């Protein structure tokens, strides 16, 4: 998933590692983008070895762009290659089970604007099935074991069930939009068709109270 995200971002513009990390956080959200330099740079080296990205000229690093306790060094700017664009196209066209889990779905959804409609629909339907299974599992726990759970554990299970139900509704709306050829409504408050804060869907893998 990190490979897909990096190649997708580098299609937008050449970037150095610090810029990539910031863009990953902005595009994917804090939960999936808590990416350390220890995981990002090995991925960049692997992509470079595969010929999917290349290094451009180094530029001086500013104080804000140097992580704490590291030396102030030049920035290596990474650029996607023609082979890298082909690899991104292969990855973005995938719609298997790995695209339904929390991380896989989040990364693919972030690049839905560059994904064909049929693939988007398969991923959304697969994600809905996965969340429906999770929802039914939580309902089963609450139905069979509610009397044995303490109040806090019971509330946690209800909290998870609420998040699943809300995500299923959100996914059904997206699926209906895809089938009718409509784009999702702008979620920003104050825009036409936008949602208020309390109506916005949770980030996949989170629930309402976990969002900022």
């Amino acid at each position: 998933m990190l490979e897909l995200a990096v190649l997708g971002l580098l299609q937008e513009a050449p970037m150095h590692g610090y810029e990539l990390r910031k863009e990953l956080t902005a595009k994917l959200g804090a939960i999936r983008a808590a990416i350390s330099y220890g995981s990002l740079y090995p991925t960049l080296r692997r992509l470079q070895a595969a010929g999917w990205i290349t290094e451009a000229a180094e530029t001086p690093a500013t104080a804000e762009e140097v992580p704490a306790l590291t030396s102030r060094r030049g920035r290596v700017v990474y650029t996607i290659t023609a082979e890298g664009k082909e690899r991104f196209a292969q990855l973005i066209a995938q719609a298997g089970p790995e695209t339904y889990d929390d991380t896989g779905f989040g990364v693919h959804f972030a690049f839905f604007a560059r994904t064909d409609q049929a693939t988007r629909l398969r991923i959304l339907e697969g994600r809905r099935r996965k969340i429906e299974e999770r929802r039914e599992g939580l309902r089963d726990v609450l139905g069979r074991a509610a009397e044995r759970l303490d109040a806090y554990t019971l509330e946690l299970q209800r909290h998870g069930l609420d998040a699943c139900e809300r995500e299923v509704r959100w996914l059904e709306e997206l699926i209906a939009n895809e089938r009718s050829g409509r784009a999702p409504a702008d979620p920003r408050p104050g825009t036409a068709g936008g949602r208020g804060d309390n109506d916005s869907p949770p980030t996949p893998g989170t629930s309402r109270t976990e969002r900022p």
Side-chain angles (χ1 to χ4, degrees), residues 116-126 175 178-179:
D116 66 83
Q117 183 184 23
T119 301
R120 291 197 303 263
L121 192 56
R122 287 197 301 271
I123 292 174
L124 289 170
E125 291 174 338
I175 290 168
E178 289 293 337
R179 287 174 175 166

Side-chain angles (χ1 to χ4, degrees), residues 26-185:
K27 199 168 188 71
L28 306 181
I31 292 176
R32 282 174 301 280
I35 297 170
S36 69
Y37 284 85
S39 61
L40 177 59
Y41 284 103
T43 299
L44 290 171
R45 288 194 293 270
R46 182 167 54 81
L47 295 177
Q48 189 175 4
W52 297 331
I53 65 174
T54 186
E55 291 183 3
E58 292 189 1
T59 58
T62 65
E64 292 79 11
E65 294 169 337
V66 179
L69 304 179
T70 62
S71 61
R72 187 168 179 172
R73 60 181 182 227
R75 302 176 302 179
V76 176
V77 178
Y78 299 94
T79 304
I80 192 169
T81 64
E83 293 80 5
K85 292 179 180 179
E86 292 178 0
R87 175 60 176 167
F88 176 77
Q90 293 172 354
L91 293 173
I92 207 70
Q94 294 178 356
E98 70 279 0
T99 66
Y100 310 155
D101 63 27
D102 293 340
T103 301
F105 176 74
V107 173
H108 275 266
F109 192 83
F111 294 100
F112 259 24
R114 285 186 258 169
T115 306
D116 66 83
Q117 183 184 23
T119 301
R120 291 197 303 263
L121 192 56
R122 287 197 301 271
I123 292 174
L124 289 170
E125 291 174 338
R127 175 66 178 181
R128 181 179 62 181
R129 289 193 300 271
K130 188 173 186 67
I131 299 303
E132 285 174 339
E133 291 171 1
R134 187 181 298 174
R135 179 188 64 186
E136 295 310 308
L138 288 168
R139 285 177 174 171
D140 185 57
V141 169
L142 287 169
R144 291 187 299 103
E147 294 181 356
R148 301 196 303 270
L149 299 176
D150 64 75
Y152 293 99
T153 303
L154 186 60
E155 185 61 26
L156 182 63
Q157 298 297 320
R158 288 172 176 163
H159 183 62
L161 178 59
D162 175 67
C164 288
E165 290 175 339
R166 293 176 63 250
E167 186 169 348
V168 167
R169 291 194 298 270
W170 174 62
L171 289 165
E172 288 176 342
E173 179 183 340
L174 290 172
I175 290 168
N177 286 340
E178 289 293 337
R179 287 174 175 166
S180 64
R182 297 193 308 268

Side-chain angles (χ1 to χ4, degrees), residues 4-32:
L4 169 62
V6 169
L7 291 175
L9 288 173
L10 290 180
Q11 284 216 82
E12 298 174 0
M15 300 181 194
H16 58 78
Y18 183 79
E19 288 174 325
L20 277 168
R21 192 173 180 218
K22 289 197 302 183
E23 289 300 316
L24 285 166
T25 300
K27 199 168 188 71
L28 306 181
I31 292 176
R32 282 174 301 280

